[in-house]
């Protein structure tokens, strides 16, 4: 299992975390999403071929900005 | 139409506003809810007999604290 790590800006609360988790969970190959509004950390685990751009696009869809660490 | 005004603490974003709006809209007699996470202002309009305690309880249900102005 691969894990990709990102830094997300703009999240302020648990609702924001839930929005990011919901969108990122829909990306192909994603099996687990860990996200913290306090630190901005986003860890995405699953298949070896998770598309980084798709994860970033999912975060954008949720209304936030992500960059891969 | 009566309008009741409250101050809400703990909201940080639009998701928080939506949560408050959703819960307060379910209170008997409520026809309009205006809420701002930036100022904490909550204005509830509708019937003359809207129950203040029910509005405060609805805000609590959403996860925040309200006091009537």
């Amino acid at each position: 299992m691969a894990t990709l790590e990102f830094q997300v800006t703009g999240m302020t609360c648990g609702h924001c975390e839930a929005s990011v988790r919901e969108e990122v969970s829909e990306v192909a190959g994603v099996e687990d999403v860990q996200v913290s509004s306090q630190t901005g950390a986003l860890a995405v685990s699953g298949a070896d071929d998770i598309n980084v751009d798709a994860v970033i696009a999912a975060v954008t869809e949720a209304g936030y900005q992500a960059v891969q660490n």
Side-chain angles (χ1 to χ4, degrees), chain A:
Chain A
M1 182 180 302
T3 298
L4 301 171
E5 297 189 340
F6 301 81
Q7 187 67 26
V8 179
T9 54
M11 297 187 295
T12 57
C13 71
H15 299 119
C16 298
E17 292 177 0
S19 294
V20 169
R21 185 179 300 111
E22 182 179 339
E23 291 292 340
V24 173
S25 295
E26 294 175 1
V27 174
V30 170
E31 294 175 17
D32 186 63
V33 178
Q34 298 292 327
V35 59
S36 166
S37 64
Q38 289 197 314
T39 64
L42 167 66
V44 181
S45 301
D48 291 336
D49 62 350
I50 292 173
N51 187 306
V52 168
D53 289 343
V55 173
I56 291 174
V59 173
T60 301
E61 181 69 22
Y64 309 94
Q65 291 77 45
V67 291
Q68 189 177 16
N69 285 351

